[in-house]
Amino acid sequence: MPGEPVVVLHTALMEEIGDNVQQILRQNRTSEVEDPDKIRAAVFYSVSSTQKGLRGIDLGMYLIKRAVADMRREFPEIVDFSTLSPIPTFAAWLLTKVRSAETIESLMTEPEVLEWNQLVADQADEQDQDALKYLQMTLPSNWYEDDETRQSLQGFITRMALTYLTQEKRRGFAYDSVENFHLGNGAEIYRLNWLADTSGKGLSQSFGMMVNFRYPPDAELIKNSNNYIFNKCIKVSQQIQQMLATFGLLPAPTSS
């Protein structure tokens, strides 16, 4: 119908780039009006189509670019444009890795193994003291409801999410479809967010992990997009570069 929106880009205007979707949704349900003097970031957290016939047609790229241009004019004080995006196939990928592993050491770093073994010793029944089997049983469960288990798994799951986003490839491009979309637009991997979506869907698809893809100014955006499309180079923030170095991960491959 004329005047009816075809696709909706849900955007939060914030003081800084958001890292938790439940927090954003809670803020949006209040009647509080944003203070324009405090707005420094626009965070795109959902895209939805209003027309059944358009489902499956990718309009997000054009909508995000249009939204960025419009908001730069309306809110010139905004310095950061970013998504808060799901990692929809991460949990399935990690569960496959865990179930096919032969030893816990093949999955975890030495510090992660030490922390996980301590948790197993404290929590597991005597017959369930095998660290790998306990991990295989724990991940599909409600592990996030237990403080000690959350703490023990945070480093491992975060490192594996970083591995998935920067190392796992399909024909040389990012394996994750959401990531591939934003990198192709010229965005960078800005930040990984632990337990950023604790809804049932968020936990089952990505163990609660979400990622910010930051959209830089136009000149850098075009450069990033071309470098990804033609050279298969993934642009990451300094924070992500430091994480890659800390975990001993190589830069993302640049050829298929």
Side-chain angles (χ1 to χ4, degrees):
M1 296 179 63
E4 183 176 347
V6 173
V7 61
V8 177
L9 178 65
H10 301 269
T11 307
L13 302 180
M14 310 181 72
E15 294 183 29
E16 59 184 7
I17 294 176
D19 61 2
N20 186 285
V21 73
Q22 272 77 39
Q23 181 183 7
I24 289 175
L25 293 173
R26 282 195 299 270
Q27 290 175 347
N28 286 353
R29 281 195 291 265
T30 69
S31 58
E32 183 179 353
V33 178
E34 298 93 346
D35 184 348
D37 293 332
K38 294 182 179 180
I39 295 172
R40 295 293 180 270
V43 181
F44 312 118
Y45 61 92
S46 179
V47 178
S48 57
S49 173
T50 63
Q51 307 294 326
K52 291 182 179 181
L54 293 175
R55 289 176 185 171
I57 299 176
D58 195 356
L59 300 174
M61 176 177 66
Y62 307 101
L63 193 60
I64 288 175
K65 289 183 177 180
R66 175 66 182 271
V68 169
D70 289 348
M71 282 190 287
R72 280 203 171 112
R73 287 192 296 269
E74 185 175 356
F75 301 100
E77 63 276 11
I78 292 181
V79 295
D80 286 314
F81 295 88
S82 171
T83 73
L84 181 59
S85 298
I87 316 174
T89 52
F90 168 60
W93 173 85
L94 181 54
L95 284 171
T96 298
K97 294 283 187 185
V98 170
R99 288 166 180 161
S100 62
E102 296 184 359
T103 65
I104 195 71
E105 290 79 10
S106 67
L107 286 170
M108 292 183 168
T109 64
E110 185 175 348
E112 291 166 0
V113 170
L114 291 173
E115 188 165 12
W116 184 247
N117 283 342
Q118 184 61 56
L119 180 85
V120 173
D122 292 342
Q123 293 192 358
D125 297 331
E126 186 174 346
Q127 65 270 24
D128 294 326
Q129 289 286 316
D130 183 287
L132 178 59
K133 289 182 179 179
Y134 195 67
L135 180 64
Q136 292 168 340
M137 289 189 302
T138 299
L139 283 179
S141 73
N142 294 336
W143 55 267
Y144 48 87
E145 296 178 354
D146 180 76
D147 291 342
E148 292 183 12
T149 307
R150 283 201 311 271
Q151 182 177 346
S152 293
L153 286 175
Q154 182 173 356
F156 168 64
I157 290 178
T158 300
R159 179 178 60 83
M160 293 303 285
L162 182 65
T163 301
Y164 175 72
L165 291 173
T166 62
Q167 311 295 310
E168 196 70 16
K169 294 292 188 295
R170 181 186 285 118
R171 301 186 187 92
F173 295 103
Y175 182 84
D176 184 80
S177 59
V178 174
E179 176 189 14
N180 186 62
F181 166 77
H182 290 296
L183 294 177
N185 286 348
E188 70 172 7
I189 303 176
Y190 176 74
R191 183 176 63 201
L192 279 172
N193 303 296
W194 169 248
L195 291 183
D197 182 1
T198 53
S199 67
K201 183 178 180 180
L203 289 162
S204 65
Q205 290 190 344
S206 61
F207 295 129
M209 295 294 299
M210 297 190 79
V211 56
N212 297 116
F213 293 104
R214 189 182 73 89
Y215 277 72
D218 289 345
E220 185 180 349
L221 194 75
I222 294 170
K223 179 181 178 182
N224 292 347
S225 177
N226 288 338
N227 211 17
Y228 179 69
I229 292 170
F230 297 109
N231 300 318
K232 302 181 176 67
C233 290
I234 293 176
K235 184 71 167 63
V236 301
S237 67
Q238 184 175 358
Q239 180 185 34
I240 295 296
Q241 287 177 338
Q242 291 172 346
M243 290 177 67
L244 288 168
T246 298
F247 292 135
L249 294 172
L250 297 173
T254 59
S255 61
S256 57

